[in-house]
Structures are given as structure tokens and as C-alpha cells.
Amino acid sequence: MEFNITNSLKELNKDYNEENSSEIIEALLYNPTELTDEDHDLIDQLGDKFLRIAAQIFVEDLAYDFNTLVNYWEAFIGQLTEDQSKKLLNFAIDQTDVDFVEDFIIGYRKFYTNPKESITFFNKIDEKEFYEIKFFKARCYEVLEDYEKAIEEYNNYLSSSYFQKDENLEQAAVNKFYIDHTIASLLVKLKDYKKANEYFDKILNKFEFEEYLSNFDESSKDEIKSFLLDYVETLENVGNDVEASNIKNKIVKFF
């Protein structure tokens, strides 16, 4: 049976217990679901107990495998309201006595208000042991509009030794596919159109247009449209007006 977050939260409100709460959180982690306003209201009705359980699982996951943040928890926390995410992170800090986890959580919490300060906390974490921190530093630099540094950190992340191992090559390819999108658009912001065009070609020339779009769900529609408009800008600036017109027409058709 397909997981239905709204019905699950309603049932949890009727008969709360920690085991069911944990099961719902796990289901949300591994079955990314776009939360509705009703879902947010149902979480609020559960009070702090639901978010405390989430914080407990979050801390345990980070201490066991830091990579879970990139792959699962960031999407989960990002689906919560701002107040709910702040509560979860505060509860997480209260529940951990592991230094690197605490430094990360504080840095992650500050990302939304002061990404420059986030970097200070992220720099305390050993990048060789926790390569994922490079990804979050890159995001901070991106928000701070230090695009060259952001690109450098994204590439540092993709070059991590973890991704060189045979068993991680598939994950490395997926991560590179999506991060290359970000790097391409950052190069457009820097007006480095020649380099940007190399990234766009690398990403888009593997697919027919419809096949490329099939890699994304409806929630990514605006983001992908923006990416393709960056591609049009790049094509125009490298003198490929014919392909720029072709992509414009496809954007109109599909978006």
C-alpha cells in the first residue's frame, strides 16, 4: 500500500505512540513526500513529542553515518515549516554529546540566518573523515554569492575519495548529475559562458529533451525551467543562436 502521510499523521493524532511516530518519520525519510499545509498543521497538533522523536533519530543517524544528511535528512527538514525545522534542530542539539554532530547541527541551523557563521562551525569538522561537509560549505558560499568558492567546494565534494570506490560509483554519478546543474548555473551568474556551455553540453547531450525531463518530478519544474533559461542565455552568448531558439521553443512547449 502506498504511504499516505496525511492519513498517517491523522491516525497518530488519534492514538499517539513513539513506535508509530518513528515509523512515520522513517517512511518520510525514505519516501520523500511534499508536505501540505494540512500536514504541517497535523504535526503542530502533535506538539513537540513528534519533533523530539525526529531529532532523536536524526542525531543517531548522523553519529552512525553522516552521509544520511545529504541523502535523506536535508529533504525531510526542508519539508517542515521554518518553526518546525528550528525546533527539530534545537532538540537535536539538546540530545547529542558528540562534538562533530553538535558543530554540524549548530552550523546547519545558522545556515538560514547567517551562512557565513555556518562556515565557521563547518570548518571545525574534519573534511577527510566527513567529506559531506564540503557540500554544505558549498551551499553556504552559494547563498553568500561567492560563486567561485561555491564551485570550488562543490568540485571538492565530488572529488572526495569516497566517490572513487567502486561500490560508490553509481551514487557518485547521480550526485554529479545534479551538482553539475548547480555549477552550470553558477557559471552563468559569473558570465563565464564558455565554461558554462561545457557543463550544459555534458548534462544535456546525453538525453533527448523528453528523456532529460523525465529525471525530475513536478516539484522541480520551476527549477528546471530556470536551468534551461540559463542554457538559452549561454547559447546566445557563445553565438549558437539556432540552438538557443530551439531550446526556447521546447521551453514554451513543455513549460
Side-chain angles (χ1 to χ4, degrees), residues 33-46:
T33 304
E34 188 169 351
L35 298 181
T36 64
D37 289 342
E38 182 181 8
D39 297 331
H40 291 140
D41 289 341
L42 289 165
I43 291 173
D44 284 338
Q45 290 169 31
L46 287 165

PDB file of all heavy atoms in Angstrom, residues 33-46:
ATOM      1  N   THR A  33       8.137  12.997   0.415  1.00  0.00           N
ATOM      2  CA  THR A  33       6.758  13.414   0.167  1.00  0.00           C
ATOM      3  C   THR A  33       6.641  14.910   0.389  1.00  0.00           C
ATOM      4  O   THR A  33       7.173  15.442   1.364  1.00  0.00           O
ATOM      5  CB  THR A  33       5.792  12.691   1.135  1.00  0.00           C
ATOM      6  OG1 THR A  33       5.966  11.281   1.000  1.00  0.00           O
ATOM      7  CG2 THR A  33       4.348  13.060   0.843  1.00  0.00           C
ATOM      8  N   GLU A  34       5.970  15.592  -0.517  1.00  0.00           N
ATOM      9  CA  GLU A  34       5.775  17.030  -0.358  1.00  0.00           C
ATOM     10  C   GLU A  34       4.670  17.273   0.669  1.00  0.00           C
ATOM     11  O   GLU A  34       3.504  16.935   0.444  1.00  0.00           O
ATOM     12  CB  GLU A  34       5.409  17.673  -1.696  1.00  0.00           C
ATOM     13  CG  GLU A  34       5.390  19.194  -1.629  1.00  0.00           C
ATOM     14  CD  GLU A  34       5.303  19.832  -2.999  1.00  0.00           C
ATOM     15  OE1 GLU A  34       5.433  19.110  -4.007  1.00  0.00           O
ATOM     16  OE2 GLU A  34       5.109  21.053  -3.053  1.00  0.00           O
ATOM     17  N   LEU A  35       5.038  17.830   1.804  1.00  0.00           N
ATOM     18  CA  LEU A  35       4.070  18.062   2.865  1.00  0.00           C
ATOM     19  C   LEU A  35       3.146  19.225   2.515  1.00  0.00           C
ATOM     20  O   LEU A  35       3.581  20.246   1.994  1.00  0.00           O
ATOM     21  CB  LEU A  35       4.790  18.366   4.187  1.00  0.00           C
ATOM     22  CG  LEU A  35       5.694  17.263   4.740  1.00  0.00           C
ATOM     23  CD1 LEU A  35       6.326  17.694   6.061  1.00  0.00           C
ATOM     24  CD2 LEU A  35       4.922  15.966   4.939  1.00  0.00           C
ATOM     25  N   THR A  36       1.869  19.069   2.843  1.00  0.00           N
ATOM     26  CA  THR A  36       0.875  20.107   2.596  1.00  0.00           C
ATOM     27  C   THR A  36       0.697  20.953   3.861  1.00  0.00           C
ATOM     28  O   THR A  36       1.216  20.629   4.931  1.00  0.00           O
ATOM     29  CB  THR A  36      -0.472  19.474   2.227  1.00  0.00           C
ATOM     30  OG1 THR A  36      -0.947  18.726   3.368  1.00  0.00           O
ATOM     31  CG2 THR A  36      -0.329  18.537   1.024  1.00  0.00           C
ATOM     32  N   ASP A  37      -0.076  22.026   3.726  1.00  0.00           N
ATOM     33  CA  ASP A  37      -0.396  22.850   4.894  1.00  0.00           C
ATOM     34  C   ASP A  37      -1.127  22.019   5.950  1.00  0.00           C
ATOM     35  O   ASP A  37      -0.915  22.199   7.154  1.00  0.00           O
ATOM     36  CB  ASP A  37      -1.264  24.053   4.483  1.00  0.00           C
ATOM     37  CG  ASP A  37      -0.478  25.084   3.685  1.00  0.00           C
ATOM     38  OD1 ASP A  37       0.769  25.052   3.739  1.00  0.00           O
ATOM     39  OD2 ASP A  37      -1.100  25.911   2.998  1.00  0.00           O
ATOM     40  N   GLU A  38      -1.990  21.100   5.491  1.00  0.00           N
ATOM     41  CA  GLU A  38      -2.698  20.228   6.431  1.00  0.00           C
ATOM     42  C   GLU A  38      -1.714  19.350   7.196  1.00  0.00           C
ATOM     43  O   GLU A  38      -1.862  19.157   8.416  1.00  0.00           O
ATOM     44  CB  GLU A  38      -3.709  19.356   5.691  1.00  0.00           C
ATOM     45  CG  GLU A  38      -4.524  18.449   6.626  1.00  0.00           C
ATOM     46  CD  GLU A  38      -5.513  17.571   5.890  1.00  0.00           C
ATOM     47  OE1 GLU A  38      -5.472  17.541   4.634  1.00  0.00           O
ATOM     48  OE2 GLU A  38      -6.321  16.916   6.573  1.00  0.00           O
ATOM     49  N   ASP A  39      -0.710  18.827   6.495  1.00  0.00           N
ATOM     50  CA  ASP A  39       0.299  18.000   7.153  1.00  0.00           C
ATOM     51  C   ASP A  39       1.056  18.808   8.211  1.00  0.00           C
ATOM     52  O   ASP A  39       1.310  18.319   9.319  1.00  0.00           O
ATOM     53  CB  ASP A  39       1.287  17.444   6.128  1.00  0.00           C
ATOM     54  CG  ASP A  39       0.633  16.516   5.122  1.00  0.00           C
ATOM     55  OD1 ASP A  39      -0.367  15.866   5.485  1.00  0.00           O
ATOM     56  OD2 ASP A  39       1.099  16.466   3.979  1.00  0.00           O
ATOM     57  N   HIS A  40       1.410  20.035   7.874  1.00  0.00           N
ATOM     58  CA  HIS A  40       2.113  20.897   8.836  1.00  0.00           C
ATOM     59  C   HIS A  40       1.238  21.146  10.066  1.00  0.00           C
ATOM     60  O   HIS A  40       1.733  21.133  11.207  1.00  0.00           O
ATOM     61  CB  HIS A  40       2.487  22.226   8.176  1.00  0.00           C
ATOM     62  CG  HIS A  40       3.548  22.096   7.139  1.00  0.00           C
ATOM     63  ND1 HIS A  40       3.527  22.801   5.952  1.00  0.00           N
ATOM     64  CD2 HIS A  40       4.681  21.327   7.089  1.00  0.00           C
ATOM     65  CE1 HIS A  40       4.587  22.494   5.236  1.00  0.00           C
ATOM     66  NE2 HIS A  40       5.297  21.600   5.901  1.00  0.00           N
ATOM     67  N   ASP A  41      -0.049  21.355   9.837  1.00  0.00           N
ATOM     68  CA  ASP A  41      -0.976  21.581  10.964  1.00  0.00           C
ATOM     69  C   ASP A  41      -1.065  20.332  11.845  1.00  0.00           C
ATOM     70  O   ASP A  41      -1.107  20.428  13.081  1.00  0.00           O
ATOM     71  CB  ASP A  41      -2.371  21.945  10.446  1.00  0.00           C
ATOM     72  CG  ASP A  41      -2.427  23.339   9.842  1.00  0.00           C
ATOM     73  OD1 ASP A  41      -1.512  24.144  10.135  1.00  0.00           O
ATOM     74  OD2 ASP A  41      -3.364  23.615   9.080  1.00  0.00           O
ATOM     75  N   LEU A  42      -1.102  19.167  11.212  1.00  0.00           N
ATOM     76  CA  LEU A  42      -1.178  17.913  11.965  1.00  0.00           C
ATOM     77  C   LEU A  42       0.084  17.700  12.800  1.00  0.00           C
ATOM     78  O   LEU A  42       0.020  17.208  13.933  1.00  0.00           O
ATOM     79  CB  LEU A  42      -1.387  16.737  11.013  1.00  0.00           C
ATOM     80  CG  LEU A  42      -2.776  16.648  10.358  1.00  0.00           C
ATOM     81  CD1 LEU A  42      -2.765  15.684   9.186  1.00  0.00           C
ATOM     82  CD2 LEU A  42      -3.823  16.216  11.396  1.00  0.00           C
ATOM     83  N   ILE A  43       1.242  18.066  12.250  1.00  0.00           N
ATOM     84  CA  ILE A  43       2.494  17.963  13.012  1.00  0.00           C
ATOM     85  C   ILE A  43       2.463  18.925  14.201  1.00  0.00           C
ATOM     86  O   ILE A  43       2.874  18.575  15.310  1.00  0.00           O
ATOM     87  CB  ILE A  43       3.703  18.236  12.096  1.00  0.00           C
ATOM     88  CG1 ILE A  43       3.867  17.088  11.083  1.00  0.00           C
ATOM     89  CG2 ILE A  43       4.989  18.396  12.926  1.00  0.00           C
ATOM     90  CD1 ILE A  43       4.917  17.342  10.021  1.00  0.00           C
ATOM     91  N   ASP A  44       1.943  20.138  13.974  1.00  0.00           N
ATOM     92  CA  ASP A  44       1.819  21.095  15.082  1.00  0.00           C
ATOM     93  C   ASP A  44       0.895  20.555  16.176  1.00  0.00           C
ATOM     94  O   ASP A  44       1.150  20.748  17.376  1.00  0.00           O
ATOM     95  CB  ASP A  44       1.292  22.438  14.569  1.00  0.00           C
ATOM     96  CG  ASP A  44       2.348  23.252  13.838  1.00  0.00           C
ATOM     97  OD1 ASP A  44       3.550  23.007  14.080  1.00  0.00           O
ATOM     98  OD2 ASP A  44       1.981  24.127  13.028  1.00  0.00           O
ATOM     99  N   GLN A  45      -0.182  19.883  15.767  1.00  0.00           N
ATOM    100  CA  GLN A  45      -1.134  19.337  16.740  1.00  0.00           C
ATOM    101  C   GLN A  45      -0.496  18.244  17.600  1.00  0.00           C
ATOM    102  O   GLN A  45      -0.897  18.030  18.751  1.00  0.00           O
ATOM    103  CB  GLN A  45      -2.358  18.781  16.018  1.00  0.00           C
ATOM    104  CG  GLN A  45      -3.253  19.848  15.397  1.00  0.00           C
ATOM    105  CD  GLN A  45      -4.298  19.249  14.465  1.00  0.00           C
ATOM    106  OE1 GLN A  45      -4.747  18.129  14.676  1.00  0.00           O
ATOM    107  NE2 GLN A  45      -4.682  19.989  13.425  1.00  0.00           N
ATOM    108  N   LEU A  46       0.507  17.571  17.050  1.00  0.00           N
ATOM    109  CA  LEU A  46       1.192  16.532  17.809  1.00  0.00           C
ATOM    110  C   LEU A  46       2.082  17.129  18.902  1.00  0.00           C
ATOM    111  O   LEU A  46       2.519  16.416  19.805  1.00  0.00           O
ATOM    112  CB  LEU A  46       2.049  15.669  16.876  1.00  0.00           C
ATOM    113  CG  LEU A  46       1.267  14.707  15.975  1.00  0.00           C
ATOM    114  CD1 LEU A  46       2.159  14.180  14.860  1.00  0.00           C
ATOM    115  CD2 LEU A  46       0.709  13.553  16.805  1.00  0.00           C
TER     116      LEU A  46
END
